[in-house]
Amino acid sequence: MNEAARIIDQLKSGNMAASEQLLPLVYDELRLLASRRLAKNPEQILQTTELVHEAYLRLIGPDVQWEGRAHFFAAAAQAMRNVLVDRARRRQSHKHGGNHNQVELHDSAISAGYDPDEILVVHDLFDRLAEQHPLEAEVAKLRYFVGFNHRETAEALEISLSTAHARWEFAKAWLYREYQKE
């Protein structure tokens, strides 16, 4: 059993102190993933370290059920997604002076920056995609929210490179088509 797996087992058993041992093992990779995503929008007010720490806090707990590297990074992608969506909702809330203007979702919007309107629209579309096409949603989540390339996505999900590419193309087309229906 590798070190990360041992620590994950300790977390599952309720030993929350083990989280201090896990973070150094995965921190550099999480920072790289977060910085890739945040680099796409220099106006973003969320810092890489802040995104990593908020996502990591959402990853630890007694109900942790990771089954390896792929599952951990899928969970990390979901945690980063949730952080960004929560931030977008907070920024748009009437209490914070936000508004709810829709923006057009097109191919380049899939990899665009952190416009709060875009994040909320894409978040809802991702939920619908996951209901109908779970693998495509996982591929899209790793590509969009974590910034993985095709190779990294294939490795994380333990699928072929061609499958990762094809599922990403399908997800982009599906998201675009569904957005156009609204």
PDB file of all heavy atoms in Angstrom, residues 139 150 154 159-170:
ATOM      1  N   VAL A 139     -15.088  13.356 -17.988  1.00  0.00           N
ATOM      2  CA  VAL A 139     -14.051  13.879 -18.887  1.00  0.00           C
ATOM      3  C   VAL A 139     -14.145  15.399 -18.942  1.00  0.00           C
ATOM      4  O   VAL A 139     -13.146  16.108 -18.789  1.00  0.00           O
ATOM      5  CB  VAL A 139     -14.185  13.263 -20.302  1.00  0.00           C
ATOM      6  CG1 VAL A 139     -13.316  14.006 -21.315  1.00  0.00           C
ATOM      7  CG2 VAL A 139     -13.817  11.780 -20.283  1.00  0.00           C
ATOM      8  N   HIS A 150      -5.825  15.991 -22.740  1.00  0.00           N
ATOM      9  CA  HIS A 150      -6.393  14.670 -23.068  1.00  0.00           C
ATOM     10  C   HIS A 150      -5.613  13.543 -22.398  1.00  0.00           C
ATOM     11  O   HIS A 150      -6.217  12.596 -21.867  1.00  0.00           O
ATOM     12  CB  HIS A 150      -6.416  14.442 -24.587  1.00  0.00           C
ATOM     13  CG  HIS A 150      -7.414  15.290 -25.303  1.00  0.00           C
ATOM     14  ND1 HIS A 150      -8.752  15.305 -25.007  1.00  0.00           N
ATOM     15  CD2 HIS A 150      -7.254  16.179 -26.318  1.00  0.00           C
ATOM     16  CE1 HIS A 150      -9.377  16.145 -25.800  1.00  0.00           C
ATOM     17  NE2 HIS A 150      -8.492  16.698 -26.607  1.00  0.00           N
ATOM     18  N   ALA A 154      -7.168  10.967 -19.682  1.00  0.00           N
ATOM     19  CA  ALA A 154      -7.179   9.518 -19.933  1.00  0.00           C
ATOM     20  C   ALA A 154      -6.535   8.763 -18.776  1.00  0.00           C
ATOM     21  O   ALA A 154      -7.066   7.740 -18.323  1.00  0.00           O
ATOM     22  CB  ALA A 154      -6.450   9.211 -21.243  1.00  0.00           C
ATOM     23  N   ILE A 159      -8.814   5.489 -19.036  1.00  0.00           N
ATOM     24  CA  ILE A 159      -9.408   5.219 -20.340  1.00  0.00           C
ATOM     25  C   ILE A 159      -8.354   5.519 -21.399  1.00  0.00           C
ATOM     26  O   ILE A 159      -7.315   6.105 -21.099  1.00  0.00           O
ATOM     27  CB  ILE A 159     -10.684   6.066 -20.588  1.00  0.00           C
ATOM     28  CG1 ILE A 159     -10.373   7.572 -20.485  1.00  0.00           C
ATOM     29  CG2 ILE A 159     -11.790   5.668 -19.617  1.00  0.00           C
ATOM     30  CD1 ILE A 159     -11.572   8.480 -20.782  1.00  0.00           C
ATOM     31  N   SER A 160      -8.623   5.107 -22.634  1.00  0.00           N
ATOM     32  CA  SER A 160      -7.648   5.357 -23.696  1.00  0.00           C
ATOM     33  C   SER A 160      -7.629   6.838 -24.065  1.00  0.00           C
ATOM     34  O   SER A 160      -8.604   7.566 -23.834  1.00  0.00           O
ATOM     35  CB  SER A 160      -7.975   4.514 -24.931  1.00  0.00           C
ATOM     36  OG  SER A 160      -9.130   5.020 -25.565  1.00  0.00           O
ATOM     37  N   LEU A 161      -6.532   7.253 -24.666  1.00  0.00           N
ATOM     38  CA  LEU A 161      -6.396   8.632 -25.112  1.00  0.00           C
ATOM     39  C   LEU A 161      -7.466   8.973 -26.146  1.00  0.00           C
ATOM     40  O   LEU A 161      -8.070  10.055 -26.093  1.00  0.00           O
ATOM     41  CB  LEU A 161      -4.992   8.856 -25.689  1.00  0.00           C
ATOM     42  CG  LEU A 161      -4.638  10.271 -26.121  1.00  0.00           C
ATOM     43  CD1 LEU A 161      -4.744  11.246 -24.960  1.00  0.00           C
ATOM     44  CD2 LEU A 161      -3.223  10.296 -26.691  1.00  0.00           C
ATOM     45  N   SER A 162      -7.717   8.057 -27.062  1.00  0.00           N
ATOM     46  CA  SER A 162      -8.735   8.320 -28.086  1.00  0.00           C
ATOM     47  C   SER A 162     -10.131   8.424 -27.475  1.00  0.00           C
ATOM     48  O   SER A 162     -10.949   9.236 -27.911  1.00  0.00           O
ATOM     49  CB  SER A 162      -8.703   7.250 -29.183  1.00  0.00           C
ATOM     50  OG  SER A 162      -8.984   5.982 -28.649  1.00  0.00           O
ATOM     51  N   THR A 163     -10.400   7.636 -26.452  1.00  0.00           N
ATOM     52  CA  THR A 163     -11.694   7.727 -25.767  1.00  0.00           C
ATOM     53  C   THR A 163     -11.824   9.062 -25.053  1.00  0.00           C
ATOM     54  O   THR A 163     -12.876   9.702 -25.102  1.00  0.00           O
ATOM     55  CB  THR A 163     -11.874   6.563 -24.774  1.00  0.00           C
ATOM     56  OG1 THR A 163     -11.849   5.333 -25.492  1.00  0.00           O
ATOM     57  CG2 THR A 163     -13.174   6.682 -23.999  1.00  0.00           C
ATOM     58  N   ALA A 164     -10.754   9.488 -24.385  1.00  0.00           N
ATOM     59  CA  ALA A 164     -10.781  10.784 -23.699  1.00  0.00           C
ATOM     60  C   ALA A 164     -11.073  11.902 -24.696  1.00  0.00           C
ATOM     61  O   ALA A 164     -11.899  12.786 -24.436  1.00  0.00           O
ATOM     62  CB  ALA A 164      -9.463  11.040 -22.981  1.00  0.00           C
ATOM     63  N   HIS A 165     -10.398  11.856 -25.844  1.00  0.00           N
ATOM     64  CA  HIS A 165     -10.604  12.882 -26.869  1.00  0.00           C
ATOM     65  C   HIS A 165     -12.032  12.837 -27.401  1.00  0.00           C
ATOM     66  O   HIS A 165     -12.701  13.877 -27.508  1.00  0.00           O
ATOM     67  CB  HIS A 165      -9.597  12.702 -28.004  1.00  0.00           C
ATOM     68  CG  HIS A 165      -9.761  13.700 -29.094  1.00  0.00           C
ATOM     69  ND1 HIS A 165      -9.378  15.014 -28.954  1.00  0.00           N
ATOM     70  CD2 HIS A 165     -10.306  13.589 -30.327  1.00  0.00           C
ATOM     71  CE1 HIS A 165      -9.665  15.664 -30.071  1.00  0.00           C
ATOM     72  NE2 HIS A 165     -10.221  14.815 -30.914  1.00  0.00           N
ATOM     73  N   ALA A 166     -12.515  11.664 -27.723  1.00  0.00           N
ATOM     74  CA  ALA A 166     -13.860  11.521 -28.288  1.00  0.00           C
ATOM     75  C   ALA A 166     -14.937  11.944 -27.294  1.00  0.00           C
ATOM     76  O   ALA A 166     -15.907  12.620 -27.655  1.00  0.00           O
ATOM     77  CB  ALA A 166     -14.097  10.079 -28.735  1.00  0.00           C
ATOM     78  N   ARG A 167     -14.766  11.562 -26.036  1.00  0.00           N
ATOM     79  CA  ARG A 167     -15.766  11.913 -25.021  1.00  0.00           C
ATOM     80  C   ARG A 167     -15.769  13.417 -24.748  1.00  0.00           C
ATOM     81  O   ARG A 167     -16.812  14.002 -24.462  1.00  0.00           O
ATOM     82  CB  ARG A 167     -15.544  11.142 -23.723  1.00  0.00           C
ATOM     83  CG  ARG A 167     -15.681   9.616 -23.853  1.00  0.00           C
ATOM     84  CD  ARG A 167     -17.030   9.153 -24.393  1.00  0.00           C
ATOM     85  NE  ARG A 167     -17.027   9.128 -25.856  1.00  0.00           N
ATOM     86  CZ  ARG A 167     -18.089   9.254 -26.661  1.00  0.00           C
ATOM     87  NH1 ARG A 167     -19.276   9.405 -26.186  1.00  0.00           N
ATOM     88  NH2 ARG A 167     -17.978   9.234 -27.959  1.00  0.00           N
ATOM     89  N   TRP A 168     -14.601  14.069 -24.838  1.00  0.00           N
ATOM     90  CA  TRP A 168     -14.521  15.528 -24.681  1.00  0.00           C
ATOM     91  C   TRP A 168     -15.242  16.218 -25.838  1.00  0.00           C
ATOM     92  O   TRP A 168     -16.009  17.158 -25.629  1.00  0.00           O
ATOM     93  CB  TRP A 168     -13.072  15.964 -24.595  1.00  0.00           C
ATOM     94  CG  TRP A 168     -12.849  17.449 -24.642  1.00  0.00           C
ATOM     95  CD1 TRP A 168     -12.098  18.124 -25.546  1.00  0.00           C
ATOM     96  CD2 TRP A 168     -13.362  18.450 -23.747  1.00  0.00           C
ATOM     97  NE1 TRP A 168     -12.112  19.476 -25.270  1.00  0.00           N
ATOM     98  CE2 TRP A 168     -12.883  19.702 -24.171  1.00  0.00           C
ATOM     99  CE3 TRP A 168     -14.194  18.389 -22.629  1.00  0.00           C
ATOM    100  CZ2 TRP A 168     -13.198  20.891 -23.520  1.00  0.00           C
ATOM    101  CZ3 TRP A 168     -14.505  19.592 -21.977  1.00  0.00           C
ATOM    102  CH2 TRP A 168     -14.011  20.814 -22.422  1.00  0.00           C
ATOM    103  N   GLU A 169     -15.016  15.742 -27.053  1.00  0.00           N
ATOM    104  CA  GLU A 169     -15.685  16.333 -28.212  1.00  0.00           C
ATOM    105  C   GLU A 169     -17.197  16.165 -28.096  1.00  0.00           C
ATOM    106  O   GLU A 169     -17.959  17.084 -28.386  1.00  0.00           O
ATOM    107  CB  GLU A 169     -15.160  15.721 -29.515  1.00  0.00           C
ATOM    108  CG  GLU A 169     -13.719  16.086 -29.817  1.00  0.00           C
ATOM    109  CD  GLU A 169     -13.482  17.588 -29.932  1.00  0.00           C
ATOM    110  OE1 GLU A 169     -14.323  18.299 -30.522  1.00  0.00           O
ATOM    111  OE2 GLU A 169     -12.457  18.059 -29.403  1.00  0.00           O
ATOM    112  N   PHE A 170     -17.627  14.980 -27.655  1.00  0.00           N
ATOM    113  CA  PHE A 170     -19.058  14.742 -27.462  1.00  0.00           C
ATOM    114  C   PHE A 170     -19.612  15.687 -26.404  1.00  0.00           C
ATOM    115  O   PHE A 170     -20.663  16.297 -26.588  1.00  0.00           O
ATOM    116  CB  PHE A 170     -19.314  13.285 -27.045  1.00  0.00           C
ATOM    117  CG  PHE A 170     -20.758  13.019 -26.719  1.00  0.00           C
ATOM    118  CD1 PHE A 170     -21.630  12.623 -27.721  1.00  0.00           C
ATOM    119  CD2 PHE A 170     -21.240  13.182 -25.430  1.00  0.00           C
ATOM    120  CE1 PHE A 170     -22.977  12.391 -27.435  1.00  0.00           C
ATOM    121  CE2 PHE A 170     -22.584  12.957 -25.132  1.00  0.00           C
ATOM    122  CZ  PHE A 170     -23.447  12.562 -26.138  1.00  0.00           C
TER     123      PHE A 170
END
